[in-house]
Amino acid sequence: MNETERWTVKCQDPVDGSGDVIVDLPPELLARFSLSIGDELTIEVIDGVIVLRPTRTTPLTS
């Protein structure tokens, strides 16, 4: 993947007082990046944008 892909999702409050948020990732995004429930992601803020990246031991193939 040579170009950046951008997806917009809504954060949901789990209403448990933890301060955490729930981010539902669309099925199209999960399929595009071969992600599934239970996969771990890193999170960082770059220029005001939240960036999620899969934590992988092997490189992705496109």
Side-chain angles (χ1 to χ4, degrees):
M1 182 172 66
N2 293 331
E3 61 186 64
T4 300
E5 292 191 37
R6 210 174 269 249
W7 298 73
T8 302
V9 296
K10 291 186 179 182
C11 296
Q12 301 173 43
D13 184 349
V15 195
D16 62 3
S18 66
D20 292 341
V21 295
I22 297 170
V23 179
D24 285 325
L25 302 178
E28 300 84 20
L29 182 145
L30 297 174
R32 169 69 179 91
F33 293 101
S34 300
L35 295 170
S36 59
I37 294 173
D39 287 350
E40 293 186 14
L41 305 172
T42 60
I43 183 171
E44 60 183 311
V45 179
I46 300 174
D47 296 328
V49 175
I50 297 172
V51 178
L52 301 173
R53 291 191 175 104
T55 302
R56 306 225 190 228
T57 55
T58 58
L60 283 174
T61 56
S62 298

